[in-house]
Amino acid sequence: METPTHKDAKQPQENLHGLAHQTRRDLLAKGAFAGFAGILGTPSSSASTIHKEQPAAVEINVKSFGAAGDGISDETATFQRALDSIHHAGGGLVYAPPGRYLFRGVISIPEGVTLRGSFCSVPSHTGIRDHGQPKPGDDGTALLVTAGRGKEDGEPFITLGTNSSVAGLTIYYPEQLTDAAPVAYPWTIAMRGKNPAAFDLELLNPYQGIDASRNERHNVRNICGQPLRRGIWVDSIYDIGRIENVHFNPWWNGHDRVYRWQTENGEAFLFGRADWEYVLNTFCFGYHVGYKFVHTGTGECNGNFVGIGADDCNRAVLVEQSAPYGLLIANGEFTSFHGDDPTMVEVLGTNKGVVRFSNSAFWGPCNQIAKISGQGTVGFSDCTFVEWKKDRAAIQVSAGSVLIRGCEFRQNQPHISLGESVDRAVITGNLFAGPSQIRNEAKNNVQIGLNAAL
């Protein structure tokens, strides 16, 4: 296959430059015209060109470049040669067949290239924790990583570029400790450019999982494992990112000192600036913070979070800052019961944005369901609150505005407390076990009514 010339490569950029000066409506109109042309049997020039020049898909095997897969030989240079080779051929698939591939260095997946292992769905290797179960490398494709040991801010193991992806692998750090605080490593995967993707991966025991910052339209889907310090980090995203079916469980270690360290320090999902982030069916177990929202130099997060869960986390959801457009959290399930003052939801005094929980359930022996402060608005609608300590209110609001509507409080003990600095509150249409127990010390406008007590 011939490599495109510099002139050929430049032409699409010139076309894109022209499109940048057209409105979304102009583009939609042109799309409609192209659709009518297709119906009438008049092919557009671009469609004809694509049909005429589209090359066949290219696939190569890393074994053809000398990969051993024996868990002893350093495969870094071999894999990079294979990835670069298919990139220069116009893009395609690099296949790593079942084996144990050791990496003492890092690799970069170039534009238009996919690195794929043997798994077509997320694998599970709990054999290090559970005797008799498969260990990483017992089956399928496993990448064993030692690169970056002791360097939290070092170069990521895998860097993805525009239209590149990684899929179907287990990634394992064989030198990670279990009987002490974990050894720091850089991010396992860094997503850069436009449309980087990670699918069907087991990140068994990385110190840091996926850095999904500084890209456009990242796609993270079907990921499992046990990141120890940070799971997924999202920041500087100005075009919609997607995170789906990501579950972090203690499959590698659930009882030694390293796991205790994780429960005291680990953060599963972290969000800085992200515009319209879509997060679906995600879960984490045994972290200090399940979902954390922060302000960075580029801003804060707004997005759609559906079917998310956090189990046995000291803070299931921690909001330092959110965007005014809102964190929209629906159909969530949250528990908190370890560490200092376990709390399902905490919104700090720094928050000025909007947080909304809808049709979500909160249970487990926490101290309280929510602690709310700041200058923003927090809402709970159609939620269920199951368990909290008897000597304090389930929802404690010290400042800001709050909406609590259509929720059920299933314990006959303090339900809601409103502090003096609360700006506004609406508490309506709720169900209380026993008489309603609402302590209202707010000096501003508060509306309470139409609640039912048993």
Side-chain angles (χ1 to χ4, degrees), residues 23-290:
T23 67
R24 179 176 176 84
R25 183 174 295 179
D26 292 335
L27 295 175
L28 290 172
K30 289 189 176 185
F33 176 79
F36 282 123
I39 293 172
L40 296 173
T42 308
S44 65
S45 59
S46 60
S48 301
T49 302
I50 291 172
H51 179 73
K52 187 175 181 180
E53 298 180 0
Q54 186 173 8
V58 177
E59 178 179 336
I60 59 175
N61 191 313
V62 292
K63 292 291 183 81
S64 300
F65 286 77
D70 58 7
I72 300 173
S73 306
D74 184 5
E75 314 279 12
T76 307
T78 299
F79 270 64
Q80 194 62 62
R81 282 197 304 271
L83 294 165
D84 292 342
S85 175
I86 205 163
H87 170 65
H88 294 315
L93 173 69
V94 174
Y95 177 64
R100 300 177 178 89
Y101 300 92
L102 177 64
F103 289 84
R104 296 192 175 95
V106 303
I107 58 176
S108 177
I109 302 181
E111 180 177 346
V113 175
T114 293
L115 173 61
R116 173 169 280 282
S118 61
F119 296 105
C120 293
S121 61
V122 182
S124 172
H125 296 90
T126 61
I128 295 174
R129 185 193 69 179
D130 302 328
H131 179 72
Q133 297 298 312
K135 299 179 181 179
D138 284 354
D139 58 8
T141 307
L143 309 187
L144 313 181
V145 184
T146 62
R149 179 181 171 90
K151 300 176 181 178
E152 181 173 345
D153 296 326
E155 190 174 358
F157 168 50
I158 295 175
T159 299
L160 296 170
T162 295
N163 297 330
S164 68
S165 60
V166 59
L169 304 164
T170 292
I171 300 179
Y172 172 57
Y173 288 76
E175 296 181 353
Q176 188 54 270
L177 304 175
T178 60
D179 59 352
V183 176
Y185 282 87
W187 290 100
T188 299
I189 298 171
M191 310 182 84
R192 302 290 183 258
K194 303 178 188 295
N195 306 304
F199 304 136
D200 302 324
L201 300 173
E202 180 185 29
L203 308 181
L204 186 56
N205 65 336
Y207 187 78
Q208 302 182 102
I210 298 175
D211 173 6
S213 67
R214 292 175 288 157
N215 65 71
E216 296 179 22
R217 299 177 298 277
H218 55 261
N219 195 346
V220 178
R221 188 169 69 239
N222 302 344
I223 311 293
C224 289
Q226 186 181 352
L228 303 175
R229 178 63 181 90
R230 301 178 185 91
I232 296 180
W233 164 240
V234 178
D235 188 33
S236 301
I237 302 300
Y238 307 99
D239 201 349
I240 300 169
R242 292 144 294 163
I243 300 173
E244 303 176 10
N245 303 333
V246 177
H247 287 222
F248 295 143
N249 288 279
W251 290 347
W252 173 64
N253 190 286
H255 57 272
D256 290 325
R257 184 177 171 187
V258 68
Y259 178 68
R260 294 193 296 273
W261 185 93
Q262 176 187 310
T263 64
E264 295 168 356
N265 300 276
E267 298 169 330
F269 300 92
L270 298 93
F271 297 90
R273 169 66 180 268
D275 296 347
W276 284 11
E277 190 75 15
Y278 278 84
V279 179
L280 172 67
N281 184 24
T282 58
F283 175 82
C284 59
F285 184 101
Y287 288 87
H288 182 65
V289 179

Side-chain angles (χ1 to χ4, degrees), residues 398-439:
S398 60
S401 299
V402 66
L403 299 143
I404 305 172
R405 300 171 297 183
C407 297
E408 181 178 7
F409 294 76
R410 296 183 62 86
Q411 291 199 141
N412 181 9
Q413 51 200 47
H415 298 125
I416 301 168
S417 66
L418 303 176
E420 292 183 2
S421 299
V422 169
D423 294 323
R424 298 165 298 173
V426 175
I427 303 171
T428 59
N430 299 288
L431 300 177
F432 297 109
S436 63
Q437 300 182 50
I438 301 173
R439 188 176 78 249

